[in-house]
Amino acid sequence: MYVIVTLSKLPQMSKVLREVTDELRRMFDSARSIVVLTGAGVSAESGVPTFRGGGGSEMWSWRGRPITELSSAELLATDPALVWEWFDYRRGLLKELTPNPGHFALAEWERRFESFALVTQNIDDLHRVAGSMNLFELHGNIWRARCLRCASTFEARETPLESAPACFVCGGASRPDVVLFGEMLPEGVFERAEEAASRADIFFVIGTSAVVYPAASLPILAKQTGAKIIEVNPEQTDISFLADVTVLGLAGEILPQFISGRAH
Ligand code: BV8
Ligand code: ZN
């Protein structure tokens, strides 16, 4: 039995760089529409722990339980107080942390392109603090709560929490306004992110192991609709085979290199 593999079916060999070359900067400068997907890696230099180490192994565990159990719809159904404790523990880690040069570079990119969208899997709010405006939070935001009775969402920044924040509208019990494993993404956010990805000239994949779906399907869609895929990560990931260019490095060091005094 012969397997016929036509050249076009072979994954395009991605160019692996260690810094932003003039050629790559020219590609960046000539783009009209840029979409960026970020993951936990873009916040690593701010001190936010990532979820998975090399090869996707689970890094996070708390009280001996893995994140996929702690951040799950099942645990919310059986022990909502523990889910709040788990998220409030992370809020405690996050509250002093600030954006790093990678976050600020992305906010600057947005100011320089006629069409720019930042799609993040992160719930740490650091992109917004750094000034990013056209931001799609696929997995919610750790500083927001959502009422279990009337579904109102509201800011809840106090940490440590004595108890779950009460809804400011109806006084009902609340949950973190975060997408847990096994839950649908917020209505419309993913569809708008897909729409932006399908129009991108360049789709950046920055600081994500690309193992969580449906977020990880966005670069695949972007590639299918003609975007150049540029990955920025200190290591190869599940999506590297798709990348036209992989820049092996830290977001805080690589992203500022793209800005070369490009006219506003
Ligand atoms: C859904 C909020 C539909 C909570 C998160 C089996 C196969 C495939 C899929 C599934 C499956 N079983 C279940 C699923 C679906 C599941 C999923 O994808 N699971 C994975 C684990 C296999 N997805 C879902 O459940 C989603 N919903 O599918 O709904 C549905 C629903 C109901 C019924 C039918 C269908 C919901 C997913 C959202 C879950 N919530 N976060 C919380 O934070 O606790 S996901 C969580 O993982 C975070 O948001 C995180 O962002 C995300 C992805 O991780 P990464 O961001 O990539 O982080 P990671 O640590 O993995 O990687 C960091 C990378 O950075 C590394 O590559 C590292 O090298 C790099 N790095 C490190 N330092 C730097 C750096 N890069 C640059 N610079 C640096 N300095
Ligand atoms: Zn309410």
Side-chain angles (χ1 to χ4, degrees):
M1 195 261 282
Y2 292 96
V3 177
I4 313 282
V5 182
T6 56
L7 273 183
S8 63
K9 289 274 173 297
L10 279 178
Q12 203 177 348
M13 292 310 290
S14 76
K15 230 157 69 179
V16 180
L17 304 173
R18 296 232 172 242
E19 60 177 4
V20 177
T21 58
D22 288 345
E23 183 194 3
L24 184 54
R25 202 173 286 113
R26 277 194 296 277
M27 185 210 280
F28 177 74
D29 284 345
S30 61
R32 208 184 26 75
S33 166
I34 297 233
V35 175
V36 176
L37 173 68
T38 61
V42 80
S43 297
E45 290 152 272
S46 296
V48 184
T50 58
F51 293 89
R52 296 161 195 92
S57 57
E58 292 290 335
M59 290 283 269
W60 271 94
S61 75
W62 180 70
R63 295 202 186 152
R65 300 168 87 150
I67 178 170
T68 38
E69 203 187 298
L70 292 160
S71 294
S72 70
E74 292 107 86
L75 190 61
L76 183 74
T78 55
D79 192 346
L82 182 60
V83 170
W84 261 117
E85 261 190 82
W86 155 236
F87 278 98
D88 202 36
Y89 157 70
R90 288 167 65 188
R91 290 151 53 104
L93 296 178
L94 274 171
K95 70 173 190 284
E96 308 300 336
L97 303 184
T98 54
N100 66 64
H103 293 107
F104 290 117
L106 291 172
E108 180 57 30
W109 290 11
E110 180 169 358
R111 290 189 279 271
R112 297 180 178 217
F113 285 91
E114 61 187 84
S115 167
F116 182 92
L118 176 53
V119 183
T120 190
Q121 299 171 90
N122 301 342
I123 61 173
D124 59 30
D125 206 36
L126 291 178
H127 283 307
R128 195 187 313 281
V129 174
S132 289
M133 312 280 275
N134 194 23
L135 182 61
F136 297 73
E137 290 181 317
L138 294 184
H139 298 157
N141 188 305
I142 202 165
W143 298 112
R144 270 199 317 264
R146 186 167 80 235
C147 179
L148 293 166
R149 188 190 300 164
C150 71
S152 304
T153 55
F154 51 98
E155 288 277 296
R157 289 193 172 262
E158 174 211 341
T159 183
L161 286 169
E162 294 294 313
S163 61
C167 173
F168 75 109
V169 173
C170 75
S174 69
R175 54 161 289 168
D177 189 24
V178 166
V179 180
L180 303 175
F181 286 103
E183 292 187 325
M184 300 301 276
L185 273 55
E187 184 66 33
V189 176
F190 185 68
E191 292 67 23
R192 285 199 305 278
E194 284 186 306
E195 212 277 321
S198 65
R199 284 185 290 105
D201 297 328
I202 301 181
F203 188 98
F204 279 86
V205 186
I206 301 171
T208 181
S209 58
V211 300
V212 171
Y213 281 79
S217 65
L218 289 171
I220 299 167
L221 169 67
K223 183 83 176 187
Q224 285 166 341
T225 47
K228 286 276 182 230
I229 308 296
I230 300 178
E231 180 177 34
V232 178
N233 197 312
E235 60 185 21
Q236 304 265 348
T237 68
D238 283 12
I239 211 83
S240 298
F241 78 95
L242 204 65
D244 296 280
V245 178
T246 294
V247 189
L248 287 178
L250 304 179
E253 292 169 10
I254 299 295
L255 301 186
Q257 294 177 26
F258 278 90
I259 299 174
S260 59
R262 174 190 163 98
H264 282 254

